[in-house]
Amino acid sequence: MPARAAWIAFALYLGASLLAGERFPFSRYDMYASLGDRKVGAVLAFRVDGNDVDVRRFDRFAGFDPANLLPEDTPCSMEYAVEDARRWMEAHRAAADAPPGPVRLEIGYWWITVEGGRIVRDFRPIGEAMAWRR
Amino acid sequence: MGALRGARAARWLLAAGLLIGWLEVFVEVLGAPPADHPLAALVAPIPLALMTIVVVAALIAFVAGRAELVAGILVLVAIAFVASLESGTHHGKLVPAIALAAYLPATALTGDARRGHEAACGAIGAAYVLAALAKLSADGLGWGQSGSLALLVAERSFEGPTFVRALRSAIAARPALTGILAAGSLAVELGGIAFLFPRARRVWAVAVIVMHAGIALLMGYVYLPWALVVGGLAWSSLASERQIT
């Protein structure tokens, strides 16, 4: 039989979390549960000459506002990755009077569906930036 | 008795979970300091490093059983401070923090650390049941059966080492398998209530650790602090040997 202290803590934490929501140390532990019944996903991608690249290999970005990295209605479940990229681009903007970098970065999303046991990927660009390799 | 020999292991593992949770939020907050927080000036390397020293010292005191109430409150206040600065809820810190937050008052009120240990187990069981309830309220018992979990794994096949990407792609392409995995994780989370029963704790802890390993591999979410704390509380005790005997 469980100890009374375990039951009390269980009931208190469960009830308080449902009431308080996301207020430390309470949470409803929603995490990825609320993404719902999606049929399409999307993953942010940076491409050079048609190849996916890591945005952290570049700096002094110009020509694209990082605030626009996640367009509305993009079915992306990896906001943390978008946020990481946004922070990187914000922290490595080109100076206003600097010449543009030599690399043309294509920015967009791989739209993804799982159809008949196959992952189907379709790249949809959202913009371009000029950058320098680090 | 195994629990006696490993009496301090639970404290070490809880301290490790708390420290990892603290560092995860610390790094996140340092990377994106909030602009409008009244204590935003403290979000700088030196103040945060000083706070980390205080947190580590308090954790060492807690493990040693010295002034554990004061030490534990210090740790919780420090974690609450960085948690107030983050942009979203960083769940990694939560399970270790609620274990400590349940242990401290239960022990202080009863004068019995064994009751504190039981309270910690109860709060952790509730956290997993809450995670299950969130899924059930979103999609009912069919959570993950419609291909949404396959899609989550497929999205994450774009990141990680080559073999991990290949594994994620292969699994995402098998909806029946992702359906089984989703049902399994829902069952394990609902089984959080088993953590209230001392005899069921180790079996459930094994299931939880396997689930977290699978989530880390397929989704890239590494909830190491959760696994450490669940394992520590299942195989050891927060009560010291002196308190148990």
Side-chain angles (χ1 to χ4, degrees), chain B residues 16-113:
Chain B
L18 288 161
L19 184 60
I20 294 168
W22 158 265
L23 291 173
E24 282 176 355
V25 184
F26 170 113
V27 168
E28 184 180 312
V29 166
L30 202 54
D36 53 354
H37 194 284
L39 297 174
L42 291 175
V43 186
I46 291 176
L48 285 176
L50 290 173
M51 273 186 257
T52 302
I53 292 169
V54 172
V55 167
V56 170
L59 287 173
I60 291 170
F62 174 77
V63 170
R66 308 272 180 201
E68 66 174 25
L69 184 60
V70 174
I73 289 173
L74 258 179
V75 171
L76 287 176
V77 167
I79 292 177
F81 168 65
V82 287
S84 74
L85 298 164
E86 59 186 350
S87 52
T89 301
H90 201 282
H91 286 91
K93 66 184 182 293
L94 272 175
V95 158
I98 63 169
L100 184 60
Y103 170 83
L104 292 175
T107 303
L109 288 171
T110 64
D112 185 347

Side-chain angles (χ1 to χ4, degrees), chain B residues 112-138:
Chain B
D112 185 347
R114 290 172 299 183
R115 291 196 175 144
H117 180 92
E118 291 301 317
C121 291
I124 286 176
Y128 282 89
V129 171
L130 280 162
L133 292 178
K135 293 179 178 69
L136 290 174
S137 64

Side-chain angles (χ1 to χ4, degrees), chain A residues 2-111:
Chain A
R4 193 185 305 169
W7 278 110
I8 293 170
F10 178 87
L12 282 178
Y13 190 69
L14 190 80
S17 288
L18 289 173
L19 287 173
E22 305 307 312
R23 289 190 180 86
F24 181 84
F26 304 106
S27 171
R28 291 183 187 141
Y29 296 86
D30 196 4
M31 299 188 276
Y32 45 90
S34 60
L35 289 169
D37 183 14
R38 295 183 310 149
K39 301 294 180 199
V40 182
V43 180
L44 177 63
F46 295 85
R47 309 184 84 199
V48 174
D49 298 331
N51 298 312
D52 283 20
V53 293
D54 182 351
V55 68
R56 288 175 184 269
R57 291 191 179 171
F58 300 89
D59 65 8
R60 287 175 281 167
F61 299 97
F64 185 86
D65 183 352
N68 298 327
L69 265 184
L70 184 58
E72 224 173 288
D73 298 330
T74 305
C76 176
S77 72
M78 298 166 71
E79 289 91 346
Y80 61 90
V82 178
E83 185 59 20
D84 278 352
R86 186 193 64 74
R87 280 188 209 147
W88 181 262
M89 292 183 76
E90 291 274 8
H92 296 84
R93 279 180 192 267
D97 55 350
V103 181
R104 182 182 299 276
L105 269 180
E106 195 177 13
I107 304 167
Y109 281 83
W110 283 106
W111 283 56

